[in-house]
Amino acid sequence: MFPLKRLAQLGVTATAATALIIGLSANAEAANGTLTLRYPNGNTINVTNRANFICFGIQGAVGAVNRTDANAFLYADGVCSGSATLVVPPNGSAEFSPQNGLVFRPVAAEAG
C-alpha cells in the first residue's frame, strides 16, 4: 500500500508543477505587433512581438507609435522601477521627454 501512496504524491506534485508552468507561460505572452520608437536624432527602432511584463531598455526614446495589441508603459529609468511616466495604448502615439524603459502589458478584457 505504501507504493500506491508514494505514486499518488508524485502525481499531485507533477500536476502542480504542470499548472505552474502553464500559468507562467500564459503570463509571458507577447505584445503582438510593432511599436516604433523615435530618438532625438531622428532615428527609429521597431520593437516587434516582444514579451509582456519584461522591462526593455530603450535609452532615450522621445516618441512612440504603438501598433501592438498591448499597452506600452514607458519609464524614465532603464529598469522600469516606480510608476510609469507615460502609457501609450494600442493604436496610439505620443511624443515625450527622453524615456529609458519600456514594458508591454496586455489590455484588460472588458467585462461583458
Side-chain angles (χ1 to χ4, degrees), residues 23-112:
L24 291 177
S25 65
N27 285 339
E29 291 178 9
N32 296 308
T34 299
L35 178 123
T36 301
L37 294 167
R38 188 180 57 75
Y39 288 85
N41 62 5
N43 289 343
T44 60
I45 294 176
N46 289 327
V47 179
T48 303
N49 298 336
R50 298 304 286 261
N52 288 323
F53 305 108
I54 306 285
C55 181
F56 301 103
I58 59 173
Q59 300 176 1
V62 294
V65 177
N66 187 1
R67 294 180 305 273
T68 73
D69 60 357
N71 288 313
F73 288 74
L74 297 149
Y75 293 82
D77 65 24
V79 294
C80 306
S81 64
S83 297
T85 55
L86 181 73
V87 178
V88 182
N91 301 311
S93 63
E95 301 294 319
F96 38 80
S97 60
Q99 300 294 298
N100 296 299
L102 166 68
V103 172
F104 288 105
R105 293 192 183 116
V107 176
E110 293 184 35

